[in-house]
Amino acid sequence: QQKLPREKALALLWPEQSTSRARHLLSEALYVLRRHMGEGAIQSAQDDLALDSDIIWSDVAAFQEAVTAASSEVASLYRGPFLDGFHLKHAPEFDVWAETLRDRFARQFGRALESLAVAAATSGDALAAAEWWGRLAEHDPFSSRIAARYMNALVSTGERARAIRIATAHVTR
């Protein structure tokens, strides 16, 4: 259960407000959220806030668990950049926070895909390895290292023509 200090929530969401006004806005927001999601959905302990994972499912928490467990489920949980296109007006701290998480999750996703590809190749499953390298190449289309690993994986499955198409597309990109 990941906790968020109230002070951090205030700084992220209402940086331009006085502390007392921001605290009031947070109290109102929590009241509305608890009313709609259930009283226990957001827990308060001292000065920290947390979602109750028994009530609220979080894709971020599930993604982090899959990354930690080196589970292939990571591939279905990552659906693109974190909060892509979401912006809060007059909250630059929120944008910095979101961008930091966006970068971290993208790197974790890339490392997880590479681990899955290497594990599949090591176990002799060339088709799965090629699929994982392909997913990673989609995620990081400008990496020549990843493109080369993808092409080698395709060649090992007998798909030389496809490997050549991937090479041509990568060079063009």
Side-chain angles (χ1 to χ4, degrees):
Q1 186 178 44
Q2 197 166 9
K3 296 177 182 178
L4 177 68
R6 284 179 189 267
E7 294 303 317
K8 186 168 184 176
L10 300 176
L12 289 172
L13 299 172
W14 298 285
E16 75 285 355
Q17 299 293 329
S18 68
T19 302
S20 62
R21 176 75 177 136
R23 283 187 177 280
H24 177 73
L25 291 169
L26 179 60
S27 293
E28 285 182 350
L30 290 172
Y31 172 77
V32 170
L33 289 169
R34 286 177 174 137
R35 218 171 105 223
H36 284 63
M37 296 188 306
E39 191 59 38
I42 300 174
Q43 299 175 340
S44 300
Q46 282 106 20
D47 224 21
D48 293 329
L49 301 170
L51 294 177
D52 183 336
S53 59
D54 292 334
I55 298 173
I56 304 292
W57 182 82
S58 164
D59 59 345
V60 170
F63 174 76
Q64 291 298 305
E65 288 172 16
V67 165
T68 301
S71 166
S72 62
E73 188 180 9
V74 73
S76 64
L77 290 168
Y78 185 88
R79 295 188 184 105
F82 178 69
L83 295 179
D84 195 25
F86 185 82
H87 173 74
L88 289 179
K89 196 174 187 179
H90 305 298
E93 291 85 356
F94 178 87
D95 290 336
V96 170
W97 172 81
E99 186 62 34
T100 300
L101 289 182
R102 189 175 298 126
D103 289 345
R104 181 188 324 151
F105 295 157
R107 281 192 315 275
Q108 288 176 324
F109 179 63
R111 284 192 304 266
L113 288 179
E114 186 161 354
S115 293
L116 291 165
V118 169
T122 302
S123 72
D125 191 347
L127 283 174
E131 287 178 29
W132 291 123
W133 283 116
R135 289 284 307 270
L136 185 53
E138 288 173 15
H139 175 66
D140 190 355
F142 297 104
S143 171
S144 295
R145 182 186 66 79
I146 293 168
R149 297 291 300 262
Y150 183 31
M151 290 180 281
N152 286 332
L154 288 171
V155 168
S156 70
T157 65
E159 294 193 57
R160 285 179 52 92
R162 188 168 168 206
I164 292 169
R165 285 194 307 273
I166 295 298
T168 303
H170 182 71
V171 168
T172 301
R173 194 173 17 262

